[in-house]
Amino acid sequence: MDVQEVVKQRRSIRQFLAKPVPEEMIREIVSDALWAPSWGNTQPWEIVVVTGDKLEQFKKENVEALTSGAAMTHEVIIPEVWPDALKQRYKDVGKSVLGSLEIARGDVEGRTRYYGQMFSFFDAPAILMFLVDREVALEYAMLDIGSILQTTCLLAQNKGLGTCILAASINYASIARKLLEVPDNKRIIIGTALGWPDNNASVNHFNRERGELDEFVRWVK
Ligand SMILES: Cc1cc2nc3c(=O)[nH]c(=O)nc-3n(C[C@H](O)[C@H](O)[C@H](O)COP(=O)(O)O)c2cc1C
């Protein structure tokens, strides 16, 4: 597929088919993604591919933590405040997602069910967790992780797979740390769900929004 097409067709997938992704396909995606650029070619990442029983356990414990109201244990700062325009976009995507699932604003039960699905990674058959060495300055290493993360998502898209980058996979990083036996010298940054998109699911089809070029770009000549 043409690069431009892959970039534009990739979207966050929030319902996956109950169909495993062959390990060989994941190997191909990740080995190609390793060509992502990084500061001084340091390649500071470690990628943990989680499938099978371990993934089921991860989903189960993650949802339990959410429903019990446990304190979050993320290892990177997750933003809580935004300038108004950004906050509006955040609200809008939430409305689009819930709207596509016909969950009304006041439907507390529906929302709770939805968050349960999110914290079980939308039933994806695989999740890829991205870690970084603690010795590396985090601010800059985040750029490297962003670079390999999006490369991974695009390569998956190119194979007809879907992804959803998930803060919900690291809100309770202590669960991942224990289950995936993450050593102390590694920090858990983010995960992405990976699987076959359910093309019949409305949540995978709502209209997404992007600002216009001039909102973001300033030409200096
Ligand atoms: C760092 C990061 C964390 C995200 N965490 C979540 C999440 O926890 N749950 C979710 O449904 N989507 C999550 N997303 C997906 C974004 O909501 C999505 O990328 C954004 O709305 C743009 O839509 P698109 O990916 O379909 O183009 C995350 C994306 C990024 C980059």
Side-chain angles (χ1 to χ4, degrees), residues 16-43:
F16 292 91
L17 298 177
K19 178 181 159 187
V21 181
E23 196 170 313
E24 191 47 37
M25 259 181 127
I26 304 181
R27 290 184 78 85
E28 280 172 18
I29 290 167
V30 179
S31 51
D32 287 347
L34 295 177
W35 285 93
S38 61
W39 165 259
N41 201 25
T42 46
Q43 306 165 66

Side-chain angles (χ1 to χ4, degrees), residues 10-12 14 93 118 122 164-168 208 210:
R10 184 219 55 81
R11 60 176 297 146
S12 295
R14 296 186 175 87
V93 75
M118 188 194 297
F122 304 120
C164 189
I165 301 169
L166 284 170
R208 295 169 306 148
R210 290 297 193 267

